[in-house]
Amino acid sequence: MQPFLIQSGTLALHGLTFGEGDEIVIGLHGWLDNCHSFIPMLKNTQLEGKWYCLDFPGHGHSDWRSSDAHYYFVDYIDDIYNFITKITNKKVHLVGHSMGAMAAGLFASCFAEKVKSVTMIEGFGVITTPSNDVVQQLRQAILNRRRTNKKAPRSYESKQTIYQARALMSDLPIDLIALLMDRNIAQSGGKWVLTTDPKLKNHSGFRFDEQQCIAIINEINVPCQLILGTVGYPFVRDNINDYSRYYKDLTVTELEGGHHCHMQNPVKCLQQIQGFMLQNGAC
């Protein structure tokens, strides 16, 4: 496990590498998580290829976007493109969790020439908004930005307080929450603060609608697999019902665990990922 830093435009993107080999795997974490999401699967493990697990901008150790910028989902596709072109000229395997899974699918739709396979963990398609709600979506996003800008940064007396706050919104045990959050916090003035950009919690000003989601999936011309947790998020299963028929090459597997099943059931999840990679271009 080694840290890395890649410059993407004006942003420094940080992360961790695992393993060695000719195959390149890009690990893409979920919203408000970071590259530590992949440690339970990858640390001290025999791997097929070299994994680059990235902190998206605003997360983990990576830079925040500028003060006048926001976190549009589509901009993560640009981040992935910049990152891949910096590290290799070969096709890569994409492994994404939740938001990272949706970003992996959209990237493969746009840039299939750079992708060998896509593994989506508890994330499928994209989050959509009905066309008729586009004005309300944008209105709420603009108002939410004003509320976020007025909030003072919050500090905590201990790391444990932060862990417990995350536990109220998570399916993970405290030890795995600590593993994730230790990369999203720092000590300041004797207290603890979150290092994730507060703007990540702003409402999205734009989302795709259902027909656009279908159009995205129709352009995915690489093998895909979806890994579900047995007690994962219901919206993922809803998206399967709505969109799975539009994939050209899709395998669906269920593993014991919740939304973070790759952390809760890491051995079986990695076996599934590496087996899929071996079927689709890995040596």
Side-chain angles (χ1 to χ4, degrees):
M1 182 172 72
Q2 296 293 330
F4 68 78
L5 185 159
I6 298 289
Q7 200 69 28
S8 174
T10 61
L11 299 179
L13 301 182
H14 291 255
L16 296 170
T17 63
F18 301 82
E20 293 293 339
D22 292 334
E23 297 295 320
I24 302 296
V25 188
I26 311 298
L28 304 171
H29 63 77
W31 180 61
L32 296 181
D33 288 349
N34 53 68
C35 68
H36 278 194
S37 172
F38 295 100
I39 286 179
M41 277 204 315
L42 304 180
K43 190 177 181 181
N44 300 322
T45 304
Q46 186 67 37
L47 297 171
E48 301 288 345
K50 185 170 185 177
W51 286 62
Y52 289 82
C53 298
L54 177 68
D55 287 339
F56 278 124
H59 298 76
H61 291 177
S62 287
D63 285 350
W64 294 7
R65 301 205 192 280
S66 63
S67 60
D68 60 344
H70 297 278
Y71 289 87
Y72 291 101
F73 176 70
V74 293
D75 285 334
Y76 293 126
I77 310 309
D78 188 45
D79 297 322
I80 298 168
Y81 184 92
N82 288 340
F83 182 74
I84 290 175
T85 55
K86 284 290 183 73
I87 65 169
T88 185
N89 57 7
K90 301 189 303 183
K91 289 187 176 184
V92 303
H93 301 273
L94 298 177
V95 178
H97 168 245
S98 194
M99 180 187 78
M102 291 184 277
L106 180 53
F107 183 87
S109 178
C110 295
F111 300 104
E113 72 276 9
K114 293 186 175 294
V115 180
K116 281 189 177 181
S117 73
V118 176
T119 293
M120 301 168 285
I121 305 168
E122 277 285 307
F124 196 68
V126 293
I127 295 176
T128 61
T129 294
S131 299
N132 291 340
D133 293 341
V134 64
V135 171
Q136 184 65 15
Q137 179 74 23
L138 180 57
R139 171 185 166 83
Q140 290 301 320
I142 299 301
L143 294 176
N144 185 251
R145 289 177 187 177
R146 301 301 184 274
R147 288 190 290 268
T148 300
N149 292 340
K150 291 178 181 178
K151 285 184 179 179
R154 184 177 178 183
S155 59
Y156 300 82
E157 295 296 330
S158 68
K159 292 196 292 185
Q160 286 68 32
T161 305
I162 297 175
Y163 301 159
Q164 290 164 4
R166 176 69 187 256
L168 297 174
M169 304 177 292
S170 176
D171 59 351
L172 292 174
I174 287 293
D175 61 326
L176 292 181
I177 288 173
L179 177 65
L180 272 179
M181 296 307 296
D182 280 351
R183 195 169 174 89
N184 278 349
I185 59 178
Q187 203 162 18
S188 176
K191 295 189 177 183
W192 292 89
V193 295
L194 293 170
T195 58
T196 47
D197 191 338
K199 290 190 297 182
L200 288 167
K201 293 187 176 181
N202 284 349
H203 294 172
S204 176
F206 165 80
R207 287 182 182 152
F208 297 105
D209 64 21
E210 182 175 319
Q211 289 304 310
Q212 289 172 321
C213 180
I214 293 169
I216 289 166
I217 295 168
N218 281 332
E219 292 296 324
I220 299 177
N221 295 311
V222 300
C224 297
Q225 75 163 332
L226 170 64
I227 297 175
L228 294 170
T230 51
V231 286
Y233 282 1
F235 87 86
V236 181
R237 294 180 184 272
D238 291 342
N239 277 8
I240 294 174
N241 293 333
D242 292 339
Y243 302 119
S244 61
R245 63 186 179 274
Y246 299 107
Y247 282 82
K248 298 179 180 71
D249 186 351
L250 175 67
T251 302
V252 181
T253 301
E254 187 173 82
L255 296 179
E256 289 291 332
H259 185 59
H260 289 79
C261 58
H262 63 306
M263 300 184 74
Q264 299 161 313
N265 198 349
V267 174
K268 288 186 177 179
C269 193
L270 182 61
Q271 288 173 347
Q272 185 65 33
I273 293 168
Q274 295 202 136
F276 187 71
M277 285 170 50
L278 287 168
Q279 293 173 17
N280 294 287
C283 298

